[in-house]
């Protein structure tokens, strides 16, 4: 009996495709939430500074994002903080200050 590995591979890919995109989907969801938090922080910072000096960065407390992530059952943000998506959107996770910094 000859076993076709090609069809087995296709079946396994179809079966596990939702798991393969899991991390990618989480990262996109976390990015959406982070962008909202950064936007809220930017509006707040601009209202407080009244345009005195142009802002070059916005800081969001990492705990704020992590709390929102826990609410949607995402508990490990390390893969997000090191993802290309996170970095490509000009975010930096500063472990020392426990902030996420967006360069404007």
């Amino acid at each position: 009996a000859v076993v076709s590995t090609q069809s087995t591979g296709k079946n396994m890919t179809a079966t596990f495709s939702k798991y393969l995109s899991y991390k990618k989907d989480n990262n996109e969801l976390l990015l959406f939430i982070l962008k909202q938090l950064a936007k809220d922080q930017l509006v707040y910072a601009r209202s407080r500074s009244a345009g005195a000096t142009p802002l070059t960065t916005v800081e969001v407390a990492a705990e704020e994002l992590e709390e929102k992530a826990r609410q949607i059952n995402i508990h490990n943000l390390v893969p997000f903080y090191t993802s290309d998506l996170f970095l490509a959107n000009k975010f930096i996770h500063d472990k020392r200050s426990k902030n996420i910094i967006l360069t404007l």
Side-chain angles (χ1 to χ4, degrees), residues 38-78:
K39 181 181 171 187
D40 293 347
Q41 189 64 31
L42 181 60
V43 168
Y44 175 74
R46 282 186 176 155
S47 71
R48 290 192 49 117
S49 71
T53 55
L55 297 171
T56 57
T57 61
V58 174
E59 293 189 19
V60 174
E63 179 57 35
E64 203 173 340
L65 176 62
E66 291 162 8
E67 173 59 32
K68 292 200 178 286
R70 283 191 293 274
Q71 292 172 7
I72 55 173
N73 208 27
I74 299 173
H75 300 280
N76 180 8
L77 275 70
V78 172

Side-chain angles (χ1 to χ4, degrees), residues 1-97:
V2 176
V3 177
S4 171
T5 56
Q6 187 174 8
S7 65
T8 304
K10 285 181 183 176
N11 290 340
M12 288 193 66
T13 301
T15 303
F16 292 105
S17 64
K18 65 182 174 187
Y19 301 109
L20 295 173
S21 66
Y22 172 78
K23 190 184 294 184
K24 180 181 176 217
D25 292 346
N26 275 356
N27 285 350
E28 289 175 3
L29 183 56
L30 290 168
L31 179 64
F32 176 79
I33 294 168
L34 179 55
K35 281 183 170 183
Q36 287 299 119
L37 292 171
K39 181 181 171 187
D40 293 347
Q41 189 64 31
L42 181 60
V43 168
Y44 175 74
R46 282 186 176 155
S47 71
R48 290 192 49 117
S49 71
T53 55
L55 297 171
T56 57
T57 61
V58 174
E59 293 189 19
V60 174
E63 179 57 35
E64 203 173 340
L65 176 62
E66 291 162 8
E67 173 59 32
K68 292 200 178 286
R70 283 191 293 274
Q71 292 172 7
I72 55 173
N73 208 27
I74 299 173
H75 300 280
N76 180 8
L77 275 70
V78 172
F80 175 61
Y81 292 147
T82 58
S83 71
D84 290 338
L85 190 63
F86 181 80
L87 300 172
N89 281 276
K90 300 181 182 177
F91 287 104
I92 298 168
H93 180 229
D94 184 347
K95 294 176 192 167
R96 202 167 350 120
S97 70

